[in-house]
Amino acid sequence: MIDRQVRQMIMDGASAEAIQDYAVENQNMKTLKDAGLKMVEDGVSSVEELRKVAYYK
């Protein structure tokens, strides 16, 4: 969700990583990687499928 803080971060030229970090910490956002890992743990998906769609640094 784009709240006032995210809007300000965008206007200030914050990096996508900084905005993501804010959203994860303050808005309970789940990254694609985290959601995918949960699906692997639950047996809904596989590690191979997760690697196809999620970016790993």
Side-chain angles (χ1 to χ4, degrees):
M1 173 173 47
I2 298 180
D3 62 11
R4 289 179 189 211
Q5 179 63 32
V6 172
R7 188 178 315 273
Q8 189 63 50
M9 292 173 79
I10 292 168
M11 291 181 357
D12 292 343
S15 68
E17 184 175 294
I19 295 169
Q20 177 180 307
D21 290 346
Y22 170 82
V24 168
E25 292 173 16
N26 298 287
Q27 296 182 336
N28 199 31
M29 184 188 93
K30 303 287 185 261
T31 64
L32 180 62
K33 177 182 162 186
D34 291 338
L37 286 172
K38 176 78 169 111
M39 292 178 79
V40 170
E41 290 172 0
D42 292 346
V44 176
S45 190
S46 67
V47 173
E48 293 77 19
E49 290 174 341
L50 178 58
R51 286 186 177 147
K52 290 178 186 177
V53 298
Y55 172 75
Y56 283 85
K57 297 178 187 177

